[in-house]
Amino acid sequence: EPEVTQTPSHQVTQMGQEVILRCVPISNHLYFYWYRQILGQKVEFLVSFYNNEISEKSEIFDDQFSVERPDGSNFTLKIRSTKLEDSAMYFCASSERGTMNTGELFFGEGSRLTVL
Amino acid sequence: AQSVTQLGSHVSVSEGALVLLRCNYSSSVPPYLFWYVQYPNQGLQLLLKYTSAATLVKGINGFEAEFKKSETSFHLTKPSAHMSDAAEYFCAVRRSGGSYIPTFGRGTSLIVHP
C-alpha cells in the first residue's frame, strides 16, 4: 500500500541551526501539507503546497519556515534558524485533490525535532 | 476561527465495552468534520468524515460518529472495544469555508484493558 515517508524520524539540533525535514508523498498525489504537534498540544496546520507554490499557510508559518519540492518525489520543510519552541513532531501529508478534497489526507509517521 | 475541543486526553475502557470519544466544534461556516486515528508508530489515517450529508456517519473498523448541530458535537463511538483499537484519536474541522484542510484537536488516547 502506498505511503508517505518522512526522514529523519528524529533529529536533535542546536538552537540557531538550520534544519531540513524531508518527505516523500504518495506518488500520484498533487497536494502536500506540513503539520506540527508540540508535545501535549494540538496538531497544528503549517502549510499546504500545490503546483510548486504555497496554496495556504497558517500564522505559525512565518519567514523562518520554507517549503520546497526540489524534484519529482521529495517535499521538504526548512526551518532557517531553529528556536527552542520549534521542538515538536512534524507531520507531512499528501492528498490527491486539494480544495475539493473532503479531508482525506495521508500522513507520514512524523519527524521529531528536538532543539537544544 | 474554526476549532475543535476533545474532552479527555485519555479514555480507558475494557475490551467489549462501549467506546465514546467526545468532540465539540466551533465553526462560523457549515462545518466539515473528521475523525483521524494514529496507531503506534504510524501516521494519522482518516476514520470517517461528515460533509453535510447524513448526520450519522459510519467509518472504518466499526466506528461511527453523529453530527449534532444543536450540541455542536461530533462524538465518536464504537459498540464494542477491541484491543486493536488502542490508539490516539483526533477530531478535526475544516479550516475555513473555502478550505477543506482539517484543523485538529489535541487528541484522545484510547486505552483498552483486557
Side-chain angles (χ1 to χ4, degrees), chain B residues 6 18 23 31 35 37 49 51-52 54 69 74 84 86 92 96 98 100-102 107-109 114:
Chain B
Q6 292 184 242
L18 171 72
C23 173
W35 276 98
V37 61
K49 61 191 179 192
T51 56
S52 75
K69 186 176 179 180
F74 190 58
S84 61
S96 65
Y100 293 76
I101 296 172
T108 298
S109 180

Side-chain angles (χ1 to χ4, degrees), chain B:
Chain B
Q2 278 55 252
S3 66
V4 292
T5 302
Q6 292 184 242
L7 299 173
S9 58
H10 294 84
V11 169
S12 183
V13 300
S14 298
E15 193 172 19
L18 171 72
V19 174
L20 171 61
L21 304 181
R22 298 177 189 274
C23 173
N24 288 89
Y25 70 89
S26 171
S27 181
S28 58
V29 298
Y32 282 20
L33 295 156
F34 317 94
W35 276 98
Y36 276 76
V37 61
Q38 185 182 27
Y39 298 104
N41 300 316
Q42 296 185 27
L44 284 74
Q45 65 181 86
L46 184 66
L47 259 184
L48 49 80
K49 61 191 179 192
Y50 166 78
T51 56
S52 75
T55 57
L56 182 63
V57 181
K58 294 188 185 300
I60 60 172
N61 301 336
F63 284 93
E64 62 182 37
E66 186 171 8
F67 172 70
K68 291 187 177 179
K69 186 176 179 180
S70 60
E71 299 176 9
T72 61
S73 69
F74 190 58
H75 301 330
L76 182 71
T77 60
K78 181 174 180 177
S80 176
H82 193 273
M83 296 296 290
S84 61
D85 294 327
E88 191 83 13
Y89 291 81
F90 295 91
C91 182
V93 64
R94 63 167 168 169
R95 273 173 53 80
S96 65
S99 168
Y100 293 76
I101 296 172
T103 292
F104 290 93
R106 289 177 186 245
T108 298
S109 180
L110 177 64
I111 302 159
V112 182
H113 298 288

